Amino acid sequence: AGRGGADANDPTGAGRRDTRRFSLPSDCYGYCAVKCVLRANMRKLKHAERVMNEKRALTALRGRPFFVELLGTFTDDASLYFVLQYGVGGELFQRMRSLGRLPLQHALFYMAEVLCALAHMHDAGMMYRDCKPENVLIDHAGHLMLCDFGFSHWPKGGKDGMCYSQIGTPQYLAP
């Protein structure tokens, strides 16, 4: 068993297009997560572009604070795999749910880190279009890491470009 009783075979999360599993210890990050994207689901749901967006964003953001670190990728006949830094503190959504209401100092700290992450992305000419508590992980030191970059966008015209499409999780879209 790993930290917190987690086992390498236990799923740590699942999305519409993928499953994330807790993985074996890694020398430089402690533990890691493996995101598995089934090729059949990717084709059936027409999400190839989103998977490529995710890899492109994770590669561009390597080494920057406030983002889950891409440790590697590999493939087999059935799946694509992303080896990612493991957010030992879980999702911000889970933290908010367990506390009921975040203390003001925690909320301000988390908001400042999310804003710094978004500024890093904008400086790199990217837009993060699925910002929600479920896509914010907490690392071992309590700092935030954005994850899930499938809806990321690189507007024409670079960081001063515009985006006219509406995309993301409906519950979090502005009215």
Side-chain angles (χ1 to χ4, degrees):
R3 286 186 195 159
D7 185 272
N9 294 318
D10 291 341
T12 61
R16 230 176 124 201
R17 304 178 310 272
D18 57 65
T19 302
R20 289 167 299 284
R21 293 202 173 272
F22 186 75
S23 188
L24 301 174
S26 163
D27 288 341
C28 57
Y29 287 102
Y31 288 87
C32 58
V34 178
K35 181 175 184 173
C36 172
V37 182
L38 296 173
R39 290 179 189 265
N41 286 352
M42 190 173 65
R43 280 188 219 103
K44 182 172 67 176
L45 298 172
K46 298 180 181 169
H47 288 160
E49 183 179 355
R50 290 185 189 163
V51 172
M52 294 310 296
N53 276 348
E54 180 138 24
K55 183 176 180 187
R56 180 179 175 194
L58 286 166
T59 301
L61 296 168
R62 259 193 182 138
R64 293 183 184 227
F66 311 116
F67 301 101
V68 67
E69 186 77 19
L70 177 66
L71 303 174
T73 60
F74 59 97
T75 66
D76 62 22
D77 292 340
S79 302
L80 305 170
Y81 302 92
F82 292 85
V83 181
L84 303 163
Q85 180 182 2
Y86 183 64
V88 296
E91 297 174 352
L92 179 58
F93 181 79
Q94 294 167 334
R95 172 83 44 100
M96 291 167 55
R97 201 169 200 190
S98 69
L99 293 175
R101 172 183 260 180
L102 288 176
L104 178 61
Q105 296 295 37
H106 292 201
L108 292 172
F109 175 76
Y110 292 150
M111 182 54 65
E113 290 204 340
V114 168
L115 290 174
C116 287
L118 295 175
H120 277 295
M121 288 192 78
H122 289 199
D123 285 345
M126 287 184 258
M127 291 180 179
Y128 185 61
R129 302 191 298 171
D130 202 16
C131 193
K132 59 185 180 181
E134 294 89 338
N135 288 343
V136 180
L137 301 177
I138 301 170
D139 74 7
H140 68 283
H143 293 283
L144 299 186
M145 303 182 299
L146 294 186
C147 66
D148 198 352
F149 298 94
F151 288 131
S152 295
H153 182 69
W154 290 261
K156 291 181 174 101
K159 63 182 180 180
D160 296 324
M162 297 294 291
C163 179
Y164 299 98
S165 58
Q166 190 176 50
I167 196 164
T169 304
Q171 295 90 327
Y172 294 102
L173 291 175

